[in-house]
């Protein structure tokens, strides 16, 4: 989940605004996870399947 949709339980504000120390800490932690940190495991598996299918199609066309 991305932090732009999260609401802080401490201050009831959006986490991406960083109004309290809890918001700022969670925002920093989620930013450190990288671009795939917000994706669910099912989405990552789906991306992997699509990538493998694309590589297989490319290998089949060049052979």
């Amino acid at each position: 989940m991305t932090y732009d949709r999260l609401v802080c339980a401490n201050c009831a504000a959006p986490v991406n605004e960083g109004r309290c120390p809890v918001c700022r800490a969670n925002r920093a932690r989620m930013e450190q996870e990288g671009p795939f940190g917000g994706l669910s495991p099912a989405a990552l598996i789906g991306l992997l399947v699509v990538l493998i299918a694309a590589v297989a199609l490319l290998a089949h066309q060049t052979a």
Side-chain angles (χ1 to χ4, degrees):
M1 177 178 281
T2 58
Y3 64 89
D4 60 336
R5 295 187 180 215
L6 291 177
V7 175
C8 179
N10 191 41
C11 67
V15 171
N16 63 351
E17 292 180 6
R19 292 185 184 177
C20 72
V22 175
C23 292
R24 289 188 289 274
N26 281 326
R27 184 177 58 186
R29 181 185 55 85
M30 292 181 91
E31 286 175 351
Q32 289 177 353
E33 289 179 353
F36 298 112
L39 292 177
S40 69
L44 289 174
I45 291 171
L47 286 172
L48 182 62
V49 167
V50 168
L51 179 64
I52 290 171
V55 169
L57 180 65
L58 182 62
H60 179 69
Q61 287 181 349
T62 57

